[in-house]
């Protein structure tokens, strides 16, 4: 993984009511979150440095958070617990 991703943080994980994505130095990152069955539950374009996502209406389970920035893409697993 490139040094670009050393600054990527997705927290808390597992999450309950919200989670944050932090990517220090990002200027135009894109975020996509899909459920374990492949349904897109959230998409955000042009995110800069930090984003907080409300998950109160999401079902408990496993989600995949994909962050794209400067031509690179990384996917991390996120768990939502109630």
């Amino acid at each position: 993984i490139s040094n670009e991703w050393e600054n990527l943080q997705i927290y808390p994980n597992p999450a309950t009511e919200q989670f944050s994505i932090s990517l220090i130095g990002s200027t135009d990152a894109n975020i996509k979150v899909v459920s374990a069955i492949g349904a897109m539950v959230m998409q955000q374009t042009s995110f800069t440095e930090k984003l907080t996502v409300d998950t109160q209406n999401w079902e408990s389970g496993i989600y995949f958070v994909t962050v794209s920035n400067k031509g690179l893409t990384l996917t991390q697993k996120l768990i939502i617990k109630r």
Side-chain angles (χ1 to χ4, degrees):
I1 297 176
S2 113
N3 290 341
E4 185 73 29
W5 298 112
E6 289 179 4
N7 296 323
L8 176 65
Q9 297 180 342
I10 298 176
Y11 59 93
N13 191 2
T16 53
E17 296 181 356
Q18 67 181 23
F19 71 94
S20 295
I21 301 169
S22 174
L23 182 57
I24 304 303
S26 68
T27 54
D28 194 23
N30 296 313
I31 313 270
K32 181 171 68 171
V33 182
V34 296
S35 69
I37 61 169
M40 186 181 307
V41 294
M42 180 259 179
Q43 187 168 14
Q44 173 78 35
T45 57
S46 299
F47 133 84
T48 303
E49 302 247 334
K50 185 174 178 186
L51 175 70
T52 299
V53 179
D54 180 357
T55 61
Q56 291 184 25
N57 296 324
W58 296 14
E59 297 290 327
S60 293
I62 297 172
Y63 294 82
F64 297 94
V65 180
T66 301
V67 180
S68 301
N69 188 46
K70 299 178 183 173
L72 302 172
T73 300
L74 182 68
T75 300
Q76 289 190 0
K77 182 168 65 171
L78 172 71
I79 298 170
I80 302 295
K81 283 189 172 181
R82 297 283 175 237

